[in-house]
Amino acid sequence: MSVNWSLPFEEKIIPSKYQSKVISPSIYKELHKIATENYKDFWASIASQLEWFKPWEKVLDDSNPPFYKWFVGGEINASYLAVDRHAKSWRKNKVAIIWEGEPAEGDKPKEVRYITYGELYREVNRVAYILKEVYGLKKGDAISLYLPMIPELPIFMLAAARLGIIFSVVFSGFSAQALADRINDAKAKLLVTADGGWRRGKIVPLKDIADKALENTSTVEKVLVVKRTNNNITMKEGRDEYLDNVYKQVPLNAYVEPERTKSEDPLFILYTSGTTGKPKGIVHDTGGYLTILRATMNWVFDIKDNDIMWTTADIGWITGHSYIVFGPLLEGATTVMYEGALDYPNPDRWASIIERYGVTILYTSPTAIRSFMKLGEDVYKSRDFSSVRLMHSVGEPINPEAFRWFFRLVGKESIPFGSTWWMTETGGIMISHLPGLYLIPLKPGTNGMPLPGIDVDVVSENSNPTKPEERGYLVIRKPWPGMPLTIWGDPDRYVKVYWSKFPGIFYPGDFAVKDSDGYFWILGRADEVIKVAGHRLGTYELESALIHHPAVAEAAVVGVPDPLKGEVPVAFVVLKVGQKANEELKKSLNEWVREQVGPIASLSSIYFVSKLPKTRSGKIMRRVVKAVITNQPVGDITTLEDEASVEEVKKAYEELK
Ligand code: PRX
């Protein structure tokens, strides 16, 4: 796939407020080269800025590639670094988390909480006490967190990290089935959920969904329920407890000693979609992950003690893990956490949040920006964005038009604004316009240059570097701190998915070009992953939901460009004999998929066909389906079983267009 807009390779913008930090791309290239050639020493120098209980013996254990281990022999604790250190310093009364709930009256939020580092320390210790003393959990156990965007979510993450308990956050927009799959795969012993969560003024009945999920799981022994929305729920005797009740067993000044976790101990599992099969549990380590966060918080976000950082993502995704929770807290900064929809109840809710808290660093997404843009600038006429001094976007390519609009509206064309490239697997940002204390001139829509020590390239099918401006595959040649340890429970799959297309180097699955200045432009996924509003969906998950419907025989799902969401999924469906293709069935199929996967899995269109393009061995050729409907050349179809199927797809699509 490639973006459907032209790339302004030549344009260069120097934001006036950051002029002193600007460096020319060619000089940066030299610095990058030095750091990257000596990448082990280089990363060791960053890691040494963290507080270790015990220093590492070896920077990188590369004796069993691709299962790399960083800072081996070192002992470190993520919760200690993110909480204790600050609570014991002058930051004790500094606000760690500003939390705003969704319910609001007009412009006024009904609930706001300012949690200081001192309070966070107390809360994290109390929850750690519950995990350890009440539930008897210990290092290496796994727990699942299915919570809305409320302070308890980071508190449980930090409490688990304190004990070396591996946490798996499941996005609260996922369905019962998706939750059950993730619980089962992680073998979670405890599930933490809430009665409900607020989304666009409605209650998402999380406990009900969790109850359904638990019918299909066997590892969860206990369920802890946070009261958030006070809706009616059922509590199962002996299994379910309200957090409020359990708190009664906790001494007010409970202190739980942080575990001396090893650098290579898993910190968390985060599930993400791939090309085939069930979502993969990406496992992140502790020492390497904290190191990439330390680096990127300082380089890419230029974090300072008086910053108020707002990352508009959900903690259910990696962006939230790294840049709402661990990154800002590691640095002792103030992080803003907002529970709900950015445009609810008023379209400019997001702007009011920036104004209310004086947000200085903003991290958001192209889809959010495009949805703000749709309403025009007048909506924000009276809003004050002057506190913002730096911003970035993430999750999908940003079209130059959206870039320019936001750069003008919020950035007053005078502050850095980049599109940072990275992914669940990389742990932290890999490519940016602020690659290490400097700023390279901005180009609308580009991702910038790789961070020092990050050896990124664009290569052709036969793994040779491409020429400037020629499309190829993005790769990462050298190991980096923050890389995955493995796929949970499936190391072979880890090797196959990421390290086999180009043996010995990491393949993220994206198409990219590099321009003659050395800037990278990520164009989109090269595989069958769809990015819908920045969320990563595997065609496999959607197709397998469809073929479980009693009326469906076969299905092919592909992503097509969408002006707002970047991409949306469309489905081509072959019905079972005797089934009637009509609007009603379409509606029910869409509802079915949303129920099976979650509301983010909404199909934008469904087309009925009598056959799908397949290879002679029976594999559905999604590439061909996609080419047909996006008006691209279909390429090599010599392996196609029946050419008439291509015409069918074309006809079905044309008829409904
Ligand atoms: O295709 C790339 C796209 O998002 C994918 C990773 O998705 P996920 O693991 O959900 O993480 C998203 C947030 C870190 C990548 O393979 N992507 C992410 N950031 C960008 C991007 N594509 C273009 N530009 C970006 N800035």
Side-chain angles (χ1 to χ4, degrees), residues 53-93:
F53 296 138
K54 181 171 164 266
W56 59 87
E57 281 144 25
K58 198 165 184 189
V59 178
L60 178 67
D61 176 356
D62 48 9
S63 60
N64 182 25
F67 301 95
Y68 296 96
K69 289 179 185 159
W70 282 91
F71 312 115
V72 182
E75 291 174 0
I76 192 163
N77 185 289
S79 175
Y80 175 83
L81 257 66
V83 185
D84 299 38
R85 255 178 345 132
H86 311 306
K88 295 272 153 64
S89 76
W90 65 267
R91 293 198 186 98
K92 182 175 179 183
N93 292 318

Short mmCIF file of all heavy atoms in Angstrom, two decimals, residues 53-93:
data_model
loop_
_atom_site.label_atom_id
_atom_site.label_comp_id
_atom_site.label_asym_id
_atom_site.label_seq_id
_atom_site.Cartn_x
_atom_site.Cartn_y
_atom_site.Cartn_z
N PHE A 53 19.53 -0.99 40.76
CA PHE A 53 19.87 -1.59 42.06
C PHE A 53 21.24 -2.26 41.96
O PHE A 53 22.02 -2.26 42.89
CB PHE A 53 18.84 -2.65 42.48
CG PHE A 53 17.47 -2.09 42.71
CD1 PHE A 53 16.35 -2.79 42.25
CD2 PHE A 53 17.28 -0.91 43.39
CE1 PHE A 53 15.07 -2.29 42.47
CE2 PHE A 53 16.00 -0.41 43.62
CZ PHE A 53 14.90 -1.10 43.15
N LYS A 54 21.44 -2.85 40.78
CA LYS A 54 22.71 -3.53 40.54
C LYS A 54 23.08 -3.28 39.08
O LYS A 54 22.23 -3.44 38.20
CB LYS A 54 22.53 -5.04 40.80
CG LYS A 54 23.76 -5.86 40.60
CD LYS A 54 23.54 -7.30 41.10
CE LYS A 54 24.60 -8.21 40.56
NZ LYS A 54 24.23 -8.90 39.33
N PRO A 55 24.31 -2.85 38.81
CA PRO A 55 24.67 -2.56 37.41
C PRO A 55 24.75 -3.83 36.56
O PRO A 55 24.93 -4.92 37.10
CB PRO A 55 26.06 -1.92 37.53
CG PRO A 55 26.54 -2.17 38.90
CD PRO A 55 25.39 -2.60 39.76
N TRP A 56 24.59 -3.67 35.29
CA TRP A 56 24.64 -4.84 34.39
C TRP A 56 26.07 -5.35 34.24
O TRP A 56 27.03 -4.60 34.48
CB TRP A 56 24.04 -4.50 33.03
CG TRP A 56 24.74 -3.38 32.33
CD1 TRP A 56 25.83 -3.45 31.53
CD2 TRP A 56 24.40 -1.99 32.40
NE1 TRP A 56 26.20 -2.22 31.09
CE2 TRP A 56 25.34 -1.30 31.60
CE3 TRP A 56 23.40 -1.26 33.03
CZ2 TRP A 56 25.30 0.09 31.43
CZ3 TRP A 56 23.36 0.11 32.87
CH2 TRP A 56 24.30 0.77 32.09
N GLU A 57 26.17 -6.60 33.85
CA GLU A 57 27.50 -7.17 33.59
C GLU A 57 27.82 -7.12 32.10
O GLU A 57 28.95 -7.01 31.68
CB GLU A 57 27.56 -8.62 34.08
CG GLU A 57 27.75 -8.70 35.58
CD GLU A 57 26.99 -9.86 36.21
OE1 GLU A 57 26.72 -10.85 35.51
OE2 GLU A 57 26.64 -9.75 37.41
N LYS A 58 26.75 -7.26 31.29
CA LYS A 58 26.96 -7.26 29.85
C LYS A 58 25.90 -6.35 29.21
O LYS A 58 24.71 -6.48 29.54
CB LYS A 58 26.77 -8.70 29.36
CG LYS A 58 27.34 -8.93 28.03
CD LYS A 58 27.48 -10.38 27.69
CE LYS A 58 28.17 -10.41 26.34
NZ LYS A 58 28.25 -11.62 25.71
N VAL A 59 26.33 -5.47 28.33
CA VAL A 59 25.37 -4.53 27.72
C VAL A 59 24.33 -5.31 26.91
O VAL A 59 23.13 -5.10 27.05
CB VAL A 59 26.07 -3.51 26.81
CG1 VAL A 59 25.04 -2.58 26.16
CG2 VAL A 59 27.09 -2.72 27.58
N LEU A 60 24.83 -6.20 26.05
CA LEU A 60 23.89 -6.92 25.18
C LEU A 60 24.32 -8.38 25.08
O LEU A 60 25.46 -8.67 24.69
CB LEU A 60 23.87 -6.29 23.78
CG LEU A 60 22.98 -6.98 22.76
CD1 LEU A 60 21.50 -6.83 23.12
CD2 LEU A 60 23.21 -6.40 21.35
N ASP A 61 23.40 -9.25 25.42
CA ASP A 61 23.66 -10.67 25.19
C ASP A 61 23.07 -11.01 23.83
O ASP A 61 21.86 -11.09 23.66
CB ASP A 61 23.00 -11.50 26.30
CG ASP A 61 23.15 -13.00 26.05
OD1 ASP A 61 23.69 -13.38 24.98
OD2 ASP A 61 22.70 -13.79 26.90
N ASP A 62 23.98 -11.17 22.84
CA ASP A 62 23.50 -11.47 21.49
C ASP A 62 23.91 -12.88 21.08
O ASP A 62 24.12 -13.18 19.92
CB ASP A 62 23.98 -10.42 20.48
CG ASP A 62 25.47 -10.13 20.61
OD1 ASP A 62 26.17 -10.86 21.35
OD2 ASP A 62 25.94 -9.18 19.96
N SER A 63 24.00 -13.75 22.10
CA SER A 63 24.48 -15.10 21.82
C SER A 63 23.39 -15.99 21.20
O SER A 63 23.68 -17.03 20.65
CB SER A 63 25.00 -15.75 23.10
OG SER A 63 23.95 -15.80 24.05
N ASN A 64 22.13 -15.55 21.30
CA ASN A 64 21.06 -16.39 20.78
C ASN A 64 20.07 -15.56 19.96
O ASN A 64 18.91 -15.41 20.33
CB ASN A 64 20.35 -17.08 21.97
CG ASN A 64 19.25 -18.01 21.54
OD1 ASN A 64 19.27 -18.52 20.41
ND2 ASN A 64 18.25 -18.20 22.40
N PRO A 65 20.54 -14.98 18.85
CA PRO A 65 19.65 -14.10 18.09
C PRO A 65 18.46 -14.87 17.52
O PRO A 65 18.63 -16.05 17.22
CB PRO A 65 20.55 -13.56 16.97
CG PRO A 65 21.70 -14.51 16.87
CD PRO A 65 21.85 -15.16 18.21
N PRO A 66 17.29 -14.27 17.36
CA PRO A 66 16.99 -12.86 17.64
C PRO A 66 16.51 -12.62 19.07
O PRO A 66 15.85 -11.62 19.33
CB PRO A 66 15.88 -12.56 16.64
CG PRO A 66 15.10 -13.85 16.59
CD PRO A 66 16.10 -14.95 16.77
N PHE A 67 16.83 -13.55 19.98
CA PHE A 67 16.37 -13.35 21.36
C PHE A 67 17.44 -12.58 22.13
O PHE A 67 18.23 -13.15 22.87
CB PHE A 67 16.04 -14.70 22.01
CG PHE A 67 14.96 -15.43 21.25
CD1 PHE A 67 15.28 -16.38 20.29
CD2 PHE A 67 13.63 -15.10 21.45
CE1 PHE A 67 14.29 -17.02 19.55
CE2 PHE A 67 12.63 -15.72 20.71
CZ PHE A 67 12.97 -16.68 19.77
N TYR A 68 17.46 -11.29 21.86
CA TYR A 68 18.47 -10.42 22.46
C TYR A 68 18.09 -10.05 23.88
O TYR A 68 16.91 -9.88 24.18
CB TYR A 68 18.63 -9.15 21.62
CG TYR A 68 19.14 -9.42 20.23
CD1 TYR A 68 18.25 -9.54 19.16
CD2 TYR A 68 20.50 -9.57 19.98
CE1 TYR A 68 18.71 -9.79 17.87
CE2 TYR A 68 20.97 -9.82 18.70
CZ TYR A 68 20.07 -9.93 17.65
OH TYR A 68 20.53 -10.18 16.39
N LYS A 69 19.11 -9.91 24.71
CA LYS A 69 18.85 -9.47 26.08
C LYS A 69 19.73 -8.27 26.39
O LYS A 69 20.95 -8.34 26.23
CB LYS A 69 19.16 -10.60 27.07
CG LYS A 69 18.15 -11.72 26.99
CD LYS A 69 18.51 -12.81 27.96
CE LYS A 69 17.58 -13.99 27.81
NZ LYS A 69 18.18 -15.21 28.36
N TRP A 70 19.09 -7.21 26.86
CA TRP A 70 19.82 -5.97 27.16
C TRP A 70 20.16 -5.86 28.63
O TRP A 70 19.35 -6.18 29.48
CB TRP A 70 18.99 -4.77 26.72
CG TRP A 70 19.04 -4.56 25.24
CD1 TRP A 70 18.18 -5.08 24.31
CD2 TRP A 70 20.01 -3.80 24.53
NE1 TRP A 70 18.56 -4.69 23.05
CE2 TRP A 70 19.68 -3.90 23.15
CE3 TRP A 70 21.13 -3.05 24.89
CZ2 TRP A 70 20.43 -3.27 22.16
CZ3 TRP A 70 21.88 -2.42 23.89
CH2 TRP A 70 21.52 -2.53 22.54
N PHE A 71 21.35 -5.38 28.88
CA PHE A 71 21.82 -5.03 30.24
C PHE A 71 21.73 -6.22 31.20
O PHE A 71 21.20 -6.12 32.30
CB PHE A 71 21.06 -3.80 30.76
CG PHE A 71 21.00 -2.69 29.76
CD1 PHE A 71 19.79 -2.26 29.19
CD2 PHE A 71 22.18 -2.08 29.33
CE1 PHE A 71 19.77 -1.26 28.25
CE2 PHE A 71 22.15 -1.06 28.37
CZ PHE A 71 20.94 -0.65 27.84
N VAL A 72 22.28 -7.31 30.72
CA VAL A 72 22.18 -8.56 31.45
C VAL A 72 22.96 -8.49 32.77
O VAL A 72 24.09 -7.99 32.81
CB VAL A 72 22.73 -9.72 30.59
CG1 VAL A 72 22.61 -11.05 31.32
CG2 VAL A 72 21.98 -9.77 29.27
N GLY A 73 22.33 -9.00 33.80
CA GLY A 73 22.96 -8.96 35.13
C GLY A 73 22.49 -7.76 35.93
O GLY A 73 22.64 -7.72 37.15
N GLY A 74 21.91 -6.78 35.24
CA GLY A 74 21.44 -5.58 35.92
C GLY A 74 20.11 -5.81 36.61
O GLY A 74 19.31 -6.63 36.18
N GLU A 75 19.91 -5.10 37.71
CA GLU A 75 18.63 -5.17 38.43
C GLU A 75 18.03 -3.77 38.54
O GLU A 75 18.73 -2.82 38.90
CB GLU A 75 18.83 -5.77 39.82
CG GLU A 75 19.19 -7.25 39.74
CD GLU A 75 19.55 -7.86 41.10
OE1 GLU A 75 19.54 -7.12 42.11
OE2 GLU A 75 19.87 -9.06 41.13
N ILE A 76 16.75 -3.69 38.24
CA ILE A 76 16.10 -2.38 38.13
C ILE A 76 14.60 -2.59 38.35
O ILE A 76 14.10 -3.70 38.11
CB ILE A 76 16.39 -1.80 36.71
CG1 ILE A 76 16.00 -0.33 36.61
CG2 ILE A 76 15.74 -2.62 35.60
CD1 ILE A 76 16.63 0.37 35.40
N ASN A 77 13.89 -1.57 38.80
CA ASN A 77 12.44 -1.74 38.97
C ASN A 77 11.71 -0.53 38.39
O ASN A 77 11.97 0.61 38.77
CB ASN A 77 12.10 -1.92 40.45
CG ASN A 77 10.62 -2.21 40.64
OD1 ASN A 77 9.79 -1.33 40.46
ND2 ASN A 77 10.30 -3.45 40.97
N ALA A 78 10.79 -0.80 37.48
CA ALA A 78 10.09 0.27 36.76
C ALA A 78 9.24 1.12 37.70
O ALA A 78 9.14 2.34 37.54
CB ALA A 78 9.23 -0.33 35.65
N SER A 79 8.61 0.48 38.68
CA SER A 79 7.73 1.20 39.59
C SER A 79 8.56 2.08 40.53
O SER A 79 8.22 3.23 40.82
CB SER A 79 6.92 0.17 40.37
OG SER A 79 6.14 0.76 41.35
N TYR A 80 9.67 1.56 40.97
CA TYR A 80 10.57 2.34 41.83
C TYR A 80 11.04 3.59 41.10
O TYR A 80 11.04 4.69 41.64
CB TYR A 80 11.77 1.47 42.26
CG TYR A 80 12.81 2.22 43.04
CD1 TYR A 80 12.66 2.41 44.41
CD2 TYR A 80 13.92 2.77 42.40
CE1 TYR A 80 13.60 3.14 45.13
CE2 TYR A 80 14.86 3.50 43.11
CZ TYR A 80 14.70 3.67 44.48
OH TYR A 80 15.62 4.40 45.18
N LEU A 81 11.41 3.40 39.83
CA LEU A 81 11.92 4.54 39.06
C LEU A 81 10.84 5.57 38.76
O LEU A 81 11.09 6.77 38.76
CB LEU A 81 12.52 4.04 37.72
CG LEU A 81 14.04 4.00 37.70
CD1 LEU A 81 14.59 2.97 38.66
CD2 LEU A 81 14.56 3.73 36.30
N ALA A 82 9.63 5.07 38.49
CA ALA A 82 8.56 5.99 38.09
C ALA A 82 7.87 6.64 39.28
O ALA A 82 7.21 7.66 39.13
CB ALA A 82 7.53 5.23 37.24
N VAL A 83 7.98 6.03 40.46
CA VAL A 83 7.22 6.54 41.60
C VAL A 83 8.11 6.87 42.80
O VAL A 83 8.20 8.03 43.21
CB VAL A 83 6.13 5.52 42.02
CG1 VAL A 83 5.27 6.11 43.13
CG2 VAL A 83 5.27 5.10 40.84
N ASP A 84 8.77 5.88 43.36
CA ASP A 84 9.48 6.07 44.63
C ASP A 84 10.50 7.21 44.58
O ASP A 84 10.57 8.04 45.48
CB ASP A 84 10.24 4.79 45.03
CG ASP A 84 9.31 3.61 45.24
OD1 ASP A 84 8.33 3.49 44.48
OD2 ASP A 84 9.55 2.81 46.17
N ARG A 85 11.28 7.18 43.50
CA ARG A 85 12.35 8.17 43.40
C ARG A 85 11.81 9.60 43.51
O ARG A 85 12.39 10.45 44.16
CB ARG A 85 13.05 8.02 42.05
CG ARG A 85 14.39 7.36 42.15
CD ARG A 85 15.02 7.20 40.79
NE ARG A 85 14.09 7.38 39.71
CZ ARG A 85 14.31 8.14 38.65
NH1 ARG A 85 15.44 8.80 38.54
NH2 ARG A 85 13.42 8.23 37.68
N HIS A 86 10.67 9.83 42.86
CA HIS A 86 10.10 11.18 42.88
C HIS A 86 9.41 11.47 44.21
O HIS A 86 9.49 12.57 44.74
CB HIS A 86 9.13 11.37 41.73
CG HIS A 86 9.69 10.93 40.42
ND1 HIS A 86 10.90 11.41 39.94
CD2 HIS A 86 9.25 10.04 39.49
CE1 HIS A 86 11.17 10.83 38.78
NE2 HIS A 86 10.18 10.00 38.48
N ALA A 87 8.73 10.43 44.73
CA ALA A 87 8.00 10.63 45.99
C ALA A 87 8.97 10.91 47.14
O ALA A 87 8.61 11.52 48.14
CB ALA A 87 7.16 9.40 46.29
N LYS A 88 10.20 10.46 46.96
CA LYS A 88 11.21 10.68 48.01
C LYS A 88 11.99 11.97 47.77
O LYS A 88 12.95 12.26 48.48
CB LYS A 88 12.20 9.50 48.00
CG LYS A 88 11.57 8.18 48.39
CD LYS A 88 11.61 8.01 49.89
CE LYS A 88 10.50 7.13 50.42
NZ LYS A 88 10.54 5.76 49.98
N SER A 89 11.64 12.71 46.75
CA SER A 89 12.40 13.92 46.42
C SER A 89 11.50 15.14 46.55
O SER A 89 10.37 15.04 47.03
CB SER A 89 12.91 13.82 44.98
OG SER A 89 11.83 14.08 44.09
N TRP A 90 11.98 16.27 46.09
CA TRP A 90 11.18 17.50 46.13
C TRP A 90 9.90 17.36 45.30
O TRP A 90 8.97 18.14 45.44
CB TRP A 90 12.00 18.69 45.62
CG TRP A 90 12.36 18.57 44.16
CD1 TRP A 90 13.51 18.03 43.65
CD2 TRP A 90 11.57 18.96 43.04
NE1 TRP A 90 13.48 18.05 42.29
CE2 TRP A 90 12.30 18.63 41.88
CE3 TRP A 90 10.32 19.56 42.89
CZ2 TRP A 90 11.83 18.87 40.60
CZ3 TRP A 90 9.84 19.79 41.60
CH2 TRP A 90 10.60 19.45 40.47
N ARG A 91 9.85 16.33 44.46
CA ARG A 91 8.65 16.15 43.62
C ARG A 91 7.48 15.53 44.38
O ARG A 91 6.42 15.32 43.81
CB ARG A 91 8.98 15.27 42.41
CG ARG A 91 9.93 15.91 41.42
CD ARG A 91 9.87 15.21 40.07
NE ARG A 91 10.87 15.72 39.16
CZ ARG A 91 12.05 15.15 38.92
NH1 ARG A 91 12.36 14.02 39.53
NH2 ARG A 91 12.90 15.68 38.07
N LYS A 92 7.68 15.26 45.65
CA LYS A 92 6.61 14.60 46.42
C LYS A 92 5.25 15.28 46.22
O LYS A 92 4.22 14.63 46.05
CB LYS A 92 6.98 14.60 47.90
CG LYS A 92 5.95 13.91 48.75
CD LYS A 92 6.39 13.79 50.19
CE LYS A 92 5.25 13.09 50.93
NZ LYS A 92 5.51 12.97 52.34
N ASN A 93 5.25 16.60 46.25
CA ASN A 93 3.97 17.31 46.09
C ASN A 93 3.75 17.83 44.69
O ASN A 93 2.85 18.63 44.44
CB ASN A 93 3.87 18.45 47.11
CG ASN A 93 3.76 17.88 48.51
OD1 ASN A 93 3.04 16.90 48.73
ND2 ASN A 93 4.51 18.45 49.44
#
